[in-house]
PDB file of all heavy atoms in Angstrom:
ATOM      1  N   CYS A  85     -11.575 -23.130  65.948  1.00 62.00           N
ATOM      2  CA  CYS A  85     -12.997 -23.436  65.830  1.00 62.00           C
ATOM      3  C   CYS A  85     -13.186 -24.938  65.620  1.00 62.00           C
ATOM      4  O   CYS A  85     -12.287 -25.629  65.172  1.00 62.00           O
ATOM      5  CB  CYS A  85     -13.635 -22.657  64.684  1.00 62.00           C
ATOM      6  SG  CYS A  85     -12.924 -23.014  63.086  1.00 62.00           S
ATOM      7  N   ALA A  86     -14.361 -25.408  65.985  1.00 66.00           N
ATOM      8  CA  ALA A  86     -14.662 -26.829  65.843  1.00 66.00           C
ATOM      9  C   ALA A  86     -14.904 -27.184  64.385  1.00 66.00           C
ATOM     10  O   ALA A  86     -15.517 -26.431  63.648  1.00 66.00           O
ATOM     11  CB  ALA A  86     -15.899 -27.166  66.673  1.00 66.00           C
ATOM     12  N   LEU A  87     -14.389 -28.311  63.964  1.00 81.00           N
ATOM     13  CA  LEU A  87     -14.648 -28.794  62.614  1.00 81.00           C
ATOM     14  C   LEU A  87     -16.069 -29.336  62.537  1.00 81.00           C
ATOM     15  O   LEU A  87     -16.515 -30.029  63.440  1.00 81.00           O
ATOM     16  CB  LEU A  87     -13.661 -29.910  62.261  1.00 81.00           C
ATOM     17  CG  LEU A  87     -12.195 -29.512  62.241  1.00 81.00           C
ATOM     18  CD1 LEU A  87     -11.326 -30.746  62.050  1.00 81.00           C
ATOM     19  CD2 LEU A  87     -11.943 -28.510  61.137  1.00 81.00           C
ATOM     20  N   PRO A  88     -16.790 -29.037  61.459  1.00 88.00           N
ATOM     21  CA  PRO A  88     -18.166 -29.531  61.364  1.00 88.00           C
ATOM     22  C   PRO A  88     -18.255 -30.938  60.777  1.00 88.00           C
ATOM     23  O   PRO A  88     -17.461 -31.326  59.927  1.00 88.00           O
ATOM     24  CB  PRO A  88     -18.830 -28.523  60.425  1.00 88.00           C
ATOM     25  CG  PRO A  88     -17.713 -28.014  59.577  1.00 88.00           C
ATOM     26  CD  PRO A  88     -16.479 -28.054  60.434  1.00 88.00           C
ATOM     27  N   ILE A  89     -19.210 -31.696  61.265  1.00 89.00           N
ATOM     28  CA  ILE A  89     -19.586 -32.987  60.687  1.00 89.00           C
ATOM     29  C   ILE A  89     -21.027 -32.832  60.238  1.00 89.00           C
ATOM     30  O   ILE A  89     -21.887 -32.429  61.026  1.00 89.00           O
ATOM     31  CB  ILE A  89     -19.492 -34.126  61.711  1.00 89.00           C
ATOM     32  CG1 ILE A  89     -18.054 -34.339  62.158  1.00 89.00           C
ATOM     33  CG2 ILE A  89     -20.056 -35.414  61.129  1.00 89.00           C
ATOM     34  CD1 ILE A  89     -17.898 -35.398  63.217  1.00 89.00           C
ATOM     35  N   LEU A  90     -21.300 -33.135  58.967  1.00 92.00           N
ATOM     36  CA  LEU A  90     -22.648 -33.010  58.440  1.00 92.00           C
ATOM     37  C   LEU A  90     -23.356 -34.355  58.492  1.00 92.00           C
ATOM     38  O   LEU A  90     -22.841 -35.350  57.985  1.00 92.00           O
ATOM     39  CB  LEU A  90     -22.621 -32.505  56.993  1.00 92.00           C
ATOM     40  CG  LEU A  90     -21.862 -31.202  56.749  1.00 92.00           C
ATOM     41  CD1 LEU A  90     -21.928 -30.820  55.286  1.00 92.00           C
ATOM     42  CD2 LEU A  90     -22.399 -30.088  57.617  1.00 92.00           C
ATOM     43  N   TRP A  91     -24.528 -34.375  59.088  1.00 89.00           N
ATOM     44  CA  TRP A  91     -25.353 -35.571  59.166  1.00 89.00           C
ATOM     45  C   TRP A  91     -26.591 -35.306  58.304  1.00 89.00           C
ATOM     46  O   TRP A  91     -27.501 -34.614  58.727  1.00 89.00           O
ATOM     47  CB  TRP A  91     -25.800 -35.839  60.603  1.00 89.00           C
ATOM     48  CG  TRP A  91     -24.688 -36.025  61.568  1.00 89.00           C
ATOM     49  CD1 TRP A  91     -24.076 -35.064  62.325  1.00 89.00           C
ATOM     50  CD2 TRP A  91     -24.029 -37.245  61.890  1.00 89.00           C
ATOM     51  NE1 TRP A  91     -23.100 -35.618  63.088  1.00 89.00           N
ATOM     52  CE2 TRP A  91     -23.043 -36.956  62.840  1.00 89.00           C
ATOM     53  CE3 TRP A  91     -24.184 -38.553  61.461  1.00 89.00           C
ATOM     54  CZ2 TRP A  91     -22.219 -37.931  63.374  1.00 89.00           C
ATOM     55  CZ3 TRP A  91     -23.362 -39.522  61.997  1.00 89.00           C
ATOM     56  CH2 TRP A  91     -22.397 -39.206  62.941  1.00 89.00           C
ATOM     57  N   ASP A  92     -26.611 -35.819  57.077  1.00 91.00           N
ATOM     58  CA  ASP A  92     -27.741 -35.599  56.183  1.00 91.00           C
ATOM     59  C   ASP A  92     -28.799 -36.670  56.438  1.00 91.00           C
ATOM     60  O   ASP A  92     -28.627 -37.825  56.078  1.00 91.00           O
ATOM     61  CB  ASP A  92     -27.285 -35.624  54.727  1.00 91.00           C
ATOM     62  CG  ASP A  92     -28.402 -35.292  53.765  1.00 91.00           C
ATOM     63  OD1 ASP A  92     -29.407 -34.676  54.197  1.00 91.00           O
ATOM     64  OD2 ASP A  92     -28.285 -35.636  52.577  1.00 91.00           O
ATOM     65  N   LEU A  93     -29.890 -36.258  57.058  1.00 87.00           N
ATOM     66  CA  LEU A  93     -30.955 -37.188  57.410  1.00 87.00           C
ATOM     67  C   LEU A  93     -32.151 -37.058  56.469  1.00 87.00           C
ATOM     68  O   LEU A  93     -33.230 -37.577  56.762  1.00 87.00           O
ATOM     69  CB  LEU A  93     -31.393 -36.937  58.862  1.00 87.00           C
ATOM     70  CG  LEU A  93     -30.276 -37.042  59.905  1.00 87.00           C
ATOM     71  CD1 LEU A  93     -30.816 -36.742  61.294  1.00 87.00           C
ATOM     72  CD2 LEU A  93     -29.601 -38.392  59.868  1.00 87.00           C
ATOM     73  N   ALA A  94     -31.955 -36.378  55.342  1.00 88.00           N
ATOM     74  CA  ALA A  94     -33.029 -36.216  54.358  1.00 88.00           C
ATOM     75  C   ALA A  94     -33.513 -37.582  53.895  1.00 88.00           C
ATOM     76  O   ALA A  94     -32.726 -38.483  53.633  1.00 88.00           O
ATOM     77  CB  ALA A  94     -32.544 -35.399  53.170  1.00 88.00           C
ATOM     78  N   GLY A  95     -34.821 -37.740  53.805  1.00 85.00           N
ATOM     79  CA  GLY A  95     -35.394 -39.001  53.367  1.00 85.00           C
ATOM     80  C   GLY A  95     -35.599 -40.007  54.481  1.00 85.00           C
ATOM     81  O   GLY A  95     -36.263 -41.017  54.293  1.00 85.00           O
ATOM     82  N   LEU A  96     -35.027 -39.733  55.633  1.00 81.00           N
ATOM     83  CA  LEU A  96     -35.201 -40.634  56.770  1.00 81.00           C
ATOM     84  C   LEU A  96     -36.544 -40.318  57.426  1.00 81.00           C
ATOM     85  O   LEU A  96     -36.757 -39.222  57.933  1.00 81.00           O
ATOM     86  CB  LEU A  96     -34.058 -40.440  57.774  1.00 81.00           C
ATOM     87  CG  LEU A  96     -33.962 -41.401  58.933  1.00 81.00           C
ATOM     88  CD1 LEU A  96     -33.772 -42.835  58.433  1.00 81.00           C
ATOM     89  CD2 LEU A  96     -32.806 -41.017  59.839  1.00 81.00           C
ATOM     90  N   VAL A  97     -37.453 -41.266  57.366  1.00 75.00           N
ATOM     91  CA  VAL A  97     -38.804 -41.034  57.866  1.00 75.00           C
ATOM     92  C   VAL A  97     -38.903 -41.331  59.356  1.00 75.00           C
ATOM     93  O   VAL A  97     -39.522 -40.602  60.114  1.00 75.00           O
ATOM     94  CB  VAL A  97     -39.824 -41.889  57.084  1.00 75.00           C
ATOM     95  CG1 VAL A  97     -41.220 -41.692  57.625  1.00 75.00           C
ATOM     96  CG2 VAL A  97     -39.761 -41.556  55.614  1.00 75.00           C
ATOM     97  N   ASP A  98     -38.281 -42.393  59.773  1.00 74.00           N
ATOM     98  CA  ASP A  98     -38.347 -42.807  61.169  1.00 74.00           C
ATOM     99  C   ASP A  98     -37.039 -43.493  61.519  1.00 74.00           C
ATOM    100  O   ASP A  98     -36.285 -43.890  60.648  1.00 74.00           O
ATOM    101  CB  ASP A  98     -39.523 -43.762  61.385  1.00 74.00           C
ATOM    102  CG  ASP A  98     -39.912 -43.889  62.855  1.00 74.00           C
ATOM    103  OD1 ASP A  98     -39.348 -43.181  63.699  1.00 74.00           O
ATOM    104  OD2 ASP A  98     -40.800 -44.713  63.151  1.00 74.00           O
ATOM    105  N   VAL A  99     -36.763 -43.595  62.791  1.00 74.00           N
ATOM    106  CA  VAL A  99     -35.560 -44.293  63.241  1.00 74.00           C
ATOM    107  C   VAL A  99     -35.966 -45.449  64.141  1.00 74.00           C
ATOM    108  O   VAL A  99     -36.898 -45.335  64.916  1.00 74.00           O
ATOM    109  CB  VAL A  99     -34.590 -43.347  63.998  1.00 74.00           C
ATOM    110  CG1 VAL A  99     -33.980 -42.358  63.058  1.00 74.00           C
ATOM    111  CG2 VAL A  99     -35.275 -42.635  65.137  1.00 74.00           C
ATOM    112  N   GLU A 100     -35.271 -46.542  64.008  1.00 75.00           N
ATOM    113  CA  GLU A 100     -35.535 -47.691  64.865  1.00 75.00           C
ATOM    114  C   GLU A 100     -34.886 -47.465  66.219  1.00 75.00           C
ATOM    115  O   GLU A 100     -34.003 -46.628  66.366  1.00 75.00           O
ATOM    116  CB  GLU A 100     -35.010 -48.951  64.200  1.00 75.00           C
ATOM    117  CG  GLU A 100     -35.751 -49.290  62.925  1.00 75.00           C
ATOM    118  CD  GLU A 100     -35.315 -50.618  62.341  1.00 75.00           C
ATOM    119  OE1 GLU A 100     -34.688 -51.406  63.051  1.00 75.00           O
ATOM    120  OE2 GLU A 100     -35.613 -50.829  61.158  1.00 75.00           O
ATOM    121  N   GLY A 101     -35.291 -48.242  67.181  1.00 69.00           N
ATOM    122  CA  GLY A 101     -34.895 -48.072  68.565  1.00 69.00           C
ATOM    123  C   GLY A 101     -33.448 -47.741  68.853  1.00 69.00           C
ATOM    124  O   GLY A 101     -33.155 -46.828  69.599  1.00 69.00           O
ATOM    125  N   GLY A 102     -32.500 -48.448  68.270  1.00 75.00           N
ATOM    126  CA  GLY A 102     -31.104 -48.252  68.628  1.00 75.00           C
ATOM    127  C   GLY A 102     -30.384 -47.153  67.861  1.00 75.00           C
ATOM    128  O   GLY A 102     -29.271 -46.788  68.211  1.00 75.00           O
ATOM    129  N   ILE A 103     -31.009 -46.615  66.826  1.00 77.00           N
ATOM    130  CA  ILE A 103     -30.328 -45.638  65.980  1.00 77.00           C
ATOM    131  C   ILE A 103     -30.129 -44.294  66.680  1.00 77.00           C
ATOM    132  O   ILE A 103     -29.051 -43.706  66.626  1.00 77.00           O
ATOM    133  CB  ILE A 103     -31.093 -45.431  64.652  1.00 77.00           C
ATOM    134  CG1 ILE A 103     -31.175 -46.740  63.878  1.00 77.00           C
ATOM    135  CG2 ILE A 103     -30.470 -44.338  63.814  1.00 77.00           C
ATOM    136  CD1 ILE A 103     -29.840 -47.315  63.469  1.00 77.00           C
ATOM    137  N   ALA A 104     -31.160 -43.788  67.336  1.00 75.00           N
ATOM    138  CA  ALA A 104     -31.052 -42.473  67.988  1.00 75.00           C
ATOM    139  C   ALA A 104     -29.961 -42.461  69.068  1.00 75.00           C
ATOM    140  O   ALA A 104     -29.123 -41.559  69.083  1.00 75.00           O
ATOM    141  CB  ALA A 104     -32.394 -42.042  68.550  1.00 75.00           C
ATOM    142  N   PRO A 105     -29.924 -43.434  69.985  1.00 78.00           N
ATOM    143  CA  PRO A 105     -28.842 -43.440  70.966  1.00 78.00           C
ATOM    144  C   PRO A 105     -27.463 -43.585  70.319  1.00 78.00           C
ATOM    145  O   PRO A 105     -26.488 -42.990  70.779  1.00 78.00           O
ATOM    146  CB  PRO A 105     -29.158 -44.643  71.854  1.00 78.00           C
ATOM    147  CG  PRO A 105     -30.619 -44.866  71.693  1.00 78.00           C
ATOM    148  CD  PRO A 105     -30.927 -44.458  70.286  1.00 78.00           C
ATOM    149  N   PHE A 106     -27.384 -44.365  69.231  1.00 81.00           N
ATOM    150  CA  PHE A 106     -26.123 -44.521  68.520  1.00 81.00           C
ATOM    151  C   PHE A 106     -25.668 -43.175  67.948  1.00 81.00           C
ATOM    152  O   PHE A 106     -24.515 -42.778  68.111  1.00 81.00           O
ATOM    153  CB  PHE A 106     -26.265 -45.553  67.401  1.00 81.00           C
ATOM    154  CG  PHE A 106     -25.048 -45.650  66.526  1.00 81.00           C
ATOM    155  CD1 PHE A 106     -23.920 -46.324  66.970  1.00 81.00           C
ATOM    156  CD2 PHE A 106     -25.020 -45.051  65.282  1.00 81.00           C
ATOM    157  CE1 PHE A 106     -22.786 -46.404  66.171  1.00 81.00           C
ATOM    158  CE2 PHE A 106     -23.899 -45.126  64.477  1.00 81.00           C
ATOM    159  CZ  PHE A 106     -22.777 -45.799  64.926  1.00 81.00           C
ATOM    160  N   LEU A 107     -26.580 -42.456  67.268  1.00 79.00           N
ATOM    161  CA  LEU A 107     -26.247 -41.130  66.727  1.00 79.00           C
ATOM    162  C   LEU A 107     -25.807 -40.181  67.831  1.00 79.00           C
ATOM    163  O   LEU A 107     -24.848 -39.429  67.676  1.00 79.00           O
ATOM    164  CB  LEU A 107     -27.458 -40.526  66.010  1.00 79.00           C
ATOM    165  CG  LEU A 107     -27.676 -40.897  64.563  1.00 79.00           C
ATOM    166  CD1 LEU A 107     -28.972 -40.267  64.052  1.00 79.00           C
ATOM    167  CD2 LEU A 107     -26.515 -40.480  63.701  1.00 79.00           C
TER     168      LEU A 107
END
Side-chain angles (χ1 to χ4, degrees):
C85 61
L87 298 173
I89 295 177
L90 305 180
W91 301 91
D92 185 20
L93 303 179
L96 188 61
V97 178
D98 198 5
V99 291
E100 294 186 16
I103 299 298
F106 173 77
L107 274 177

